[in-house]
Amino acid sequence: MKWHVLRPLWVAIGLVAAILVARLFLVPDDFGIHGRNFTYGFYRLSNVQEWKDFPVKYQGRETCVECHEENVQSLNNSPHAAVECENCHGPGVNHPDVVELLPIDTTRELCLRCHASLGYPHSAREQAPQISNRMHKRRRECSECHNPHKPQGDET
Amino acid sequence: MSCSRRDFLKEAMGGTLASVMPLSAFVLLSPEEAKAAIDGSKVRWAFLVDTQKCTGCGLCVKACKTENEIPYDAPVTRTWVERYVITKDGETHIDSPLGGRDGYIDDKIRDEEIDPKNIDKAFFVPKLCNQCDNPPCVQVCPVGATYQTNDGVVLIDRNWCIGCGYCIMACPYGVRFFHPEQKVADKCNFCYHRITKGMQPACVECCSFGARRLANLEDPDDPVTKIITTERVAVLKDEYGTKPHVFYLGLDFNVR
């Protein structure tokens, strides 16, 4: 082959070799086909574990009951039994070690999420007791009169 | 040294066979690995949404954003709740302010007052990633940063994603978005960190009405799997051939 053809050929081969060497160092060892095929399963395997290690924030009622048995009992016997503790009290992560007191959401807007009447026929919304946001005790906090743990009794 | 033609051919044949045999053919599998290779995965996560039970409280959206560290006030969310109001004149009014994060406490839709007497039907539809069996978002990823795990969940490798946005364009359900803090594509993964620990996804746990439920399709005794297999369920955008795995009970034809 003539010299002027060979010279750029060496440059091209060198480039390809450089890319291959760089790839060897940059691509993690566990990168490859781990799923069912190349199209859907070509990935870095350790990433699955990284997602599994993502911190859990919402602990669930089973964790709350370990210390707050009385409160959970009163909630379980009320029409609010289906409402998760953490919906109002916030996620229990790091409680009580770091976050000593969970911030309780006592705003009217929280109650209205389920109890504001929208006037929709056949909507599941109507199962819960409904109020008209504009008519019923405007700008007052619901918890001033209603106990969220005993919404039907012991009203002050 | 003498070498007959017969011996030469024999040796050459053996040598050729040995040289084409890949080294990987000699890997010894442990009994667990061999069993896993034959059985495959015993988990296939799916989701059941009962639109008849959803009240539009939006607590699932709030829980999801908190659990998965999605910026609370940014207009992006992994799951959202849509409100559909169909009036007697045949109009469909749809809205989802901030993905329904603060619930639906006002009957105005996009600042429009609708007389309850004119409403034919009104309902709420929670939406989330469909964890498709043929995920188009995975097909288009140029770097292999998004993939389907063996239990059917589509995950995103945050260290590998270059943020090109192809997957956000490819998803026909619009569930993918650009994470404003991580600077990568993001989407619902059924709370993979929770379901792999035996917990429920945050949205399922926080739903007071049982509108959202998680299922393992590989487990025939799973009560939610029984509902999916025996009752009349629908999926979104079946015509795209993505084989979505979020099933809906009571889905209205107006839902897109």
Side-chain angles (χ1 to χ4, degrees), chain B residues 50-171:
Chain B
D50 192 340
T51 56
Q52 311 255 30
K53 288 181 179 162
C54 181
T55 59
C57 69
L59 286 167
C60 49
V61 182
K62 184 187 172 195
C64 173
K65 288 198 119 175
T66 315
E67 177 73 32
N68 294 299
E69 296 171 17
I70 310 298
Y72 198 66
D73 292 318
V76 290
T77 175
R78 285 185 173 192
T79 182
W80 67 99
V81 180
E82 293 173 357
R83 166 162 66 176
Y84 287 73
V85 174
I86 292 131
T87 46
K88 289 199 160 67
D89 56 8
E91 288 276 317
T92 309
H93 306 263
I94 310 168
D95 76 339
S96 186
L98 279 174
R101 183 197 74 186
D102 298 329
Y104 293 89
I105 61 176
D106 200 341
D107 48 13
K108 276 186 193 163
I109 294 186
R110 300 176 191 273
D111 292 325
E112 190 188 345
E113 199 90 53
I114 297 173
D115 187 359
K117 291 193 199 79
N118 291 334
I119 296 174
D120 257 344
K121 52 185 168 184
F123 49 87
F124 301 95
V125 182
K127 288 192 177 170
L128 65 163
C129 177
N130 284 278
Q131 316 295 356
C132 306
D133 235 7
N134 294 330
C137 54
V138 176
Q139 292 174 22
V140 300
C141 181
V143 295
T146 182
Y147 56 93
Q148 190 182 43
T149 61
N150 289 330
D151 42 15
V153 176
V154 174
L155 293 178
I156 299 160
D157 188 339
R158 284 185 168 175
N159 292 330
W160 212 248
C161 176
I162 57 172
C164 69
Y166 284 4
C167 55
I168 300 171
M169 291 287 145
C171 175

Side-chain angles (χ1 to χ4, degrees), chain A residues 38-83:
Chain A
F38 173 74
T39 310
Y40 299 120
F42 183 64
Y43 60 98
R44 192 168 59 89
L45 190 62
S46 49
N47 183 244
V48 177
Q49 193 56 44
E50 285 168 22
W51 275 115
K52 285 180 183 172
D53 295 339
F54 196 80
V56 171
K57 318 284 187 309
Y58 281 77
Q59 309 292 318
R61 193 175 308 197
E62 303 74 34
T63 312
C64 306
V65 78
E66 286 171 15
C67 302
H68 307 282
E69 202 183 334
E70 212 172 287
N71 292 345
V72 175
Q73 276 301 325
S74 72
L75 186 72
N76 282 348
N77 295 326
S78 80
H80 272 170
V83 181

Side-chain angles (χ1 to χ4, degrees), chain A residues 72-129:
Chain A
V72 175
Q73 276 301 325
S74 72
L75 186 72
N76 282 348
N77 295 326
S78 80
H80 272 170
V83 181
E84 251 331 293
C85 311
E86 288 162 309
N87 278 347
C88 308
H89 294 268
V93 64
N94 293 335
H95 171 76
D97 301 332
V98 182
V99 188
E100 205 175 316
L101 282 174
L102 291 178
I104 307 175
D105 187 352
T106 55
T107 57
R108 184 179 172 91
E109 282 70 32
L110 182 76
C111 308
L112 287 175
R113 283 171 178 260
C114 297
H115 294 292
S117 174
L118 299 173
Y120 294 161
H122 318 299
S123 156
R125 176 72 72 111
E126 309 297 321
Q127 294 165 6

